[in-house]
């Protein structure tokens, strides 16, 4: 049995995420000086240090989980293109509150946004991030900028993006994944409870 055959539910999703990062987190982060796991933990640590809401700490921690959609049951990852922002949102959506999912979904758009509105932002991007910018559609157009700024989760998106960008520092110590396990589980439980009342 592969990991993708395992049935995921609210009781095992956090362990599943931890397992993915444990097994695969050593992958290099798109040619940066940090591994995927270091990158995701550094993003979460910055969110936590800023006193961000738990949903945003979770979004920071999981923003790149879309690079591992192959670790999720096919029906969750189905119909998702190769874009890791949408892929990550799709696999998290059944388990996490909308705010977490939106933070993950919007982190690439926020990069395209910042490249459009902050002249020196592109210069601050790492070489790998400049390379992917083109594939991601380049800086936003004026219309896209206006639409993005009026979206309700606009500010969250930009914050997650800045933590993402700041999470590429070789050797910076952070708490490990387990430090966030309870925070994640509380979000999963809150989402389940919410779905129950709505259902
Ligand atoms: Fe990232």
């Amino acid at each position: 049995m592969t990991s993708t055959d395992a049935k995921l539910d609210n009781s095992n999703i956090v362990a599943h995420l931890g397992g993915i990062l444990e097994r695969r987190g050593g992958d290099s982060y798109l040619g940066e000086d940090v591994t995927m796991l270091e990158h995701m933990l550094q993003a979460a640590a910055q969110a936590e240090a800023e006193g961000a809401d738990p949903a945003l700490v979770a979004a920071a921690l999981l923003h790149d989980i879309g690079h591992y959609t192959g670790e999720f049951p096919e029906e969750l990852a189905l119909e998702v293109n190769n874009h890791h922002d949408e892929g990550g949102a799709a696999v998290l959506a059944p388990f996490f509150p909308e705010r977490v999912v939106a933070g993950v979904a919007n982190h690439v758009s926020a990069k395209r946004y910042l490249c459009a509105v902050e002249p020196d932002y592109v210069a601050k991007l790492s070489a790998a991030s400049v390379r992917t910018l083109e594939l991601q559609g380049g800086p936003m157009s004026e219309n896209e900028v206006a639409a993005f700024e009026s979206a309700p989760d606009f500010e969250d998106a930009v914050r997650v993006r800045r933590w993402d960008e700041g999470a590429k520092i070789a050797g910076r110590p952070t708490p490990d994944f387990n430090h966030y396990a309870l925070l994640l589980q509380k979000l999963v439980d809150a989402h389940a409870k919410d779905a129950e009342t709505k259902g």
Side-chain angles (χ1 to χ4, degrees), residues 50 52 74 93 100 159 170 172 184 199:
E50 278 185 29
E74 233 175 272
V100 179
R159 291 183 80 189
R172 166 166 289 189
L184 294 175

Side-chain angles (χ1 to χ4, degrees), residues 157-190:
V158 171
R159 291 183 80 189
V160 172
R161 182 66 218 180
R162 293 199 194 279
W163 297 323
D164 180 359
E165 215 55 59
K168 301 173 182 180
I169 300 167
R172 166 166 289 189
T174 64
D176 63 11
F177 179 85
N178 282 331
H179 174 76
Y180 300 100
L182 183 60
L183 175 148
L184 294 175
Q185 190 61 51
K186 282 182 178 171
L187 288 164
V188 169
D189 292 344

Side-chain angles (χ1 to χ4, degrees), residues 1-8 16 70-74:
M1 185 174 96
T2 69
S3 61
T4 52
D5 295 327
K7 173 125 179 54
L8 288 181
H16 183 71
E71 299 277 351
F72 289 83
E74 233 175 272

Side-chain angles (χ1 to χ4, degrees), residues 8-15 94-96 185 188-189 191-193:
L8 288 181
D9 58 35
N10 294 329
S11 71
N12 63 18
I13 181 64
V14 174
F95 310 105
F96 286 90
Q185 190 61 51
V188 169
D189 292 344
H191 175 255
K193 212 171 161 203

